[in-house]
Amino acid sequence: PAMDEFARACVDEAHRLHVILQDWLRGTVPSTPAGFAPFADALADPCRVVSPLGTITERAALLSEFEAIHGVLSAHGEAFVIRVENAVVLRQWEDHALVSYEEWHDLDGDSSARLSTVLYTADTSAPLGVAWSFIHETWLPGLAPVAGERFPAAQNASTAA
């Protein structure tokens, strides 16, 4: 079945936000409130993330975490890529949608991947009119990175600095 406008916005938002995160980690967008807003403005309040290892992070902590790792993969440039594949709208209500997708991280020839399930909420103040309310991630079999939760190379770079 064809997706309606709301479902399409949710799938488009999954792709949009991961390009924003990729550029933030590469340092190709400015580390300013305006540079961070395309990420921050997409998260509902409240928003909760369950990481692949079961760690629960609320919106304020998530924003702080990502703000702190701006540009940590700048040395890798375009060798660091985040891509979203196989996005599927699992369930849709009038102002919510449950979407599942694979999130792939490629860095210098290595890949890791997680299955993410997101509850989106209609929100006219969000960039595409949908906000991230709840995110649950789990590693795809055999594709977990050696260390780290979300962006292990970024966390390794920030601890080495």
Side-chain angles (χ1 to χ4, degrees):
M3 279 193 264
D4 70 12
E5 187 176 336
F6 180 69
R8 171 53 51 201
C10 293
V11 170
D12 289 349
E13 174 58 20
H15 290 278
R16 185 201 70 85
L17 188 76
H18 288 89
V19 170
I20 298 295
L21 291 175
Q22 169 189 276
D23 293 347
W24 183 259
L25 293 168
R26 287 179 178 173
T28 57
V29 295
S31 180
T32 62
F36 195 60
F39 174 72
D41 292 350
L43 301 183
D45 191 6
C47 176
R48 173 179 281 186
V49 177
V50 180
S51 78
L53 298 179
T55 303
I56 297 171
T57 307
E58 303 294 341
R59 184 180 192 275
L62 185 67
L63 292 174
S64 294
E65 175 185 331
F66 280 104
E67 212 165 7
I69 59 174
H70 176 267
V72 296
L73 294 175
S74 60
H76 298 276
E78 293 187 13
F80 174 65
V81 176
I82 300 176
R83 52 196 165 86
V84 170
E85 296 185 359
N86 302 314
V88 177
V89 177
L90 301 172
R91 181 76 195 256
Q92 183 178 343
W93 301 267
E94 185 176 328
D95 59 354
H96 290 80
L98 190 64
V99 177
S100 179
Y101 58 85
E102 295 172 7
E103 178 184 336
W104 289 79
H105 294 198
D106 302 317
L107 178 63
D108 296 330
D110 290 324
S111 294
S112 65
R114 67 196 81 201
L115 178 64
S116 298
T117 304
V118 178
L119 179 64
Y120 290 101
T121 304
D123 182 344
T124 57
S125 67
L128 294 185
V130 296
W132 301 67
S133 295
F134 183 83
I135 304 129
H136 188 269
E137 303 173 323
T138 189
W139 296 118
L140 288 174
L143 291 168
V146 174
E149 285 263 307
R150 291 190 184 86
F151 299 95
Q155 292 174 347
N156 292 342
S158 65
T159 57

